[in-house]
Amino acid sequence: MERRSFLRGAVIGTSAAAFGGTLWQGAASAAPAQPGPGPYGALGAADANGIRLPAGFTSRVIARSGQKVASTSYTWHNAPDGGACFADGSGWIYVSNSEINPSGGASAVRFSSAGAITGAYRILSGTRTNCAGGKTPWNTWLSCEEVSLGYVYETDPWGVNAAVRRDAMGRFKHEAAAADPVRKVVYLTEDESNGCLYRFIPTTWGDLSSGTLQVLVAGTATSGTFGWANVPDPDGSPTATRSQVSGAKRFNGGEGCHYANDTVWFTTKGDNRLWQLNLTSGTYELAYDDSLVTGGSAPLTGVDNVTGSSSGDLFVAEDGGNMEICLITPDDVVAPFLRIDGQSGSEITGPAFSPDGRRLYFSSQRGTSGSSSGGITYEVTGPFRA
């Protein structure tokens, strides 16, 4: 995945005013481009699953909350949320959190090389409101509790090894995690209106049992330089981790987080923004801000989970909005990739690509019913860009 700079160059497919920094300043007197289809073209009519896709793409239902996963005896969990894919020989595994309290936890579906479902099982139980998380380079899934003083649990996608609670990664309202194998750290978002961005530095890379929790320190502007400071008490009690370090930068509702090629992208739902952390230059900036889109035509609202493809595209799931997964390309195109019709009481969660990049998995957390028991997990197959 190539590194991008969303704040430079022409914007195609959405208003240039959607972006902050140098582009916003430089484009102020220019006629902004209008929203339009992205690299895959316009969305077609809804298919039998209620999903609108570009030409050449198809969808299927993988699992439904409260029902047996096809070809298995396993009952899929309620409120499916964050997810990731793991290579499994010639096949793969998709893991998915359950954002309910109590119970929560996470489950997995195993696929053959042809994409057939060959198994489903539980990989984490007895936790609370497992929202997002992240994949590690050593092929474990970090499942994060989105509750006050929540924990991170390291789980085995194969369901062989018992899940382990990783206390050293801090107790706060966890959302997502993104591993950086270059700097050997894990970035963590916090779902609070005055939350922070953290990084965890393990004592030994590949072992999350001990290490140092740090918080990003920066000014109040939407761009600038940043640093890191140690959190004195990762346990977060009696003083919350976000309140322990003077100068810690505040973010309005941290959500999805993705790392690739010396860059971290993360979303904040409270202000519908996508942020970009440039690790080589030590700077941060806005990558997308829907409040700056002119004419009320923002293509992406309700930002939530985010993942990346091998082409360098970012795929951002909407929590509400018009139930779309939107993509942002290296050329700064911002456009819908898919839309789910008839599920306005839900949100899209857990986007993740199969190891070969040909299939995209995601869930509608509450489906057509609008309740946690109505979750639906999907797969989309088609000519994704390499």
Side-chain angles (χ1 to χ4, degrees), residues 76 81-86 93-97 106-109 123 141 156-157:
W76 197 237
D81 206 284
C85 281
F86 298 81
I93 295 168
Y94 176 68
V95 300
S96 170
N97 282 342
S107 303
V109 180
I123 61 172
W141 168 245
D156 176 13

Side-chain angles (χ1 to χ4, degrees), residues 149-327:
L149 297 179
Y151 289 102
V152 175
Y153 289 82
E154 187 171 15
T155 68
D156 176 13
W158 287 262
V160 176
N161 299 311
V164 179
R165 197 177 76 189
R166 296 305 189 190
D167 296 15
M169 299 185 79
R171 296 191 67 187
F172 52 88
K173 200 172 183 180
H174 283 278
E175 185 67 36
D180 175 355
V182 176
R183 290 152 199 86
K184 298 182 178 180
V185 303
V186 179
Y187 304 97
L188 302 158
T189 56
E190 181 178 27
D191 193 358
E192 298 276 8
S193 60
N194 62 341
C196 294
L197 181 71
Y198 302 86
R199 73 174 183 181
F200 178 69
I201 309 172
T203 303
T204 302
W205 185 236
D207 180 356
L208 302 177
S209 61
S210 66
T212 302
L213 183 68
Q214 297 184 325
V215 65
L216 186 137
V217 176
T220 59
T222 55
S223 64
T225 59
F226 68 87
W228 299 96
N230 291 350
V231 175
D233 180 16
D235 189 56
S237 180
T239 304
T241 54
R242 65 185 181 279
S243 301
Q244 294 181 24
V245 176
S246 176
K249 185 166 179 59
R250 305 297 175 176
F251 296 98
N252 191 353
E255 288 286 338
C257 190
H258 177 70
Y259 168 85
N261 292 4
D262 300 319
T263 306
V264 177
W265 293 274
F266 61 98
T267 59
T268 50
K269 66 181 180 183
D271 46 19
N272 279 313
R273 287 172 166 175
L274 173 69
W275 298 83
Q276 178 175 331
L277 210 63
N278 305 302
L279 300 170
T280 53
S281 64
T283 60
Y284 69 95
E285 55 194 338
L286 277 178
Y288 178 83
D289 184 352
D290 82 334
S291 69
L292 297 178
V293 176
T294 59
S297 56
L300 172 61
T301 59
V303 298
D304 203 310
N305 292 168
V306 57
T307 193
S309 70
S310 59
S311 66
D313 297 332
L314 287 181
F315 286 73
V316 186
E318 290 186 339
D319 179 352
N322 52 0
M323 285 291 287
E324 291 180 341
I325 293 180
C326 290
L327 61 82

Side-chain angles (χ1 to χ4, degrees), residues 47-51 53 57-64 69-71 92 94 109-118 338 354 359-364 376-382:
D47 64 12
N49 297 318
I51 299 181
L53 292 162
F57 290 86
T58 59
S59 76
R60 68 166 169 160
V61 173
I62 296 302
R64 295 180 183 270
V69 178
S71 305
W92 59 91
Y94 176 68
V109 180
R110 178 175 280 141
F111 299 87
S112 72
S113 59
I117 295 173
T118 60
L338 67 79
S354 59
R359 302 168 191 254
L360 175 65
Y361 295 92
F362 60 94
S363 296
S364 171
I376 309 171
T377 300
Y378 299 95
E379 173 195 84
V380 164
T381 305

Side-chain angles (χ1 to χ4, degrees), residues 4-15:
R4 74 192 66 218
S5 178
F6 292 127
L7 303 183
R8 298 176 179 84
V11 179
I12 305 169
T14 187
S15 166

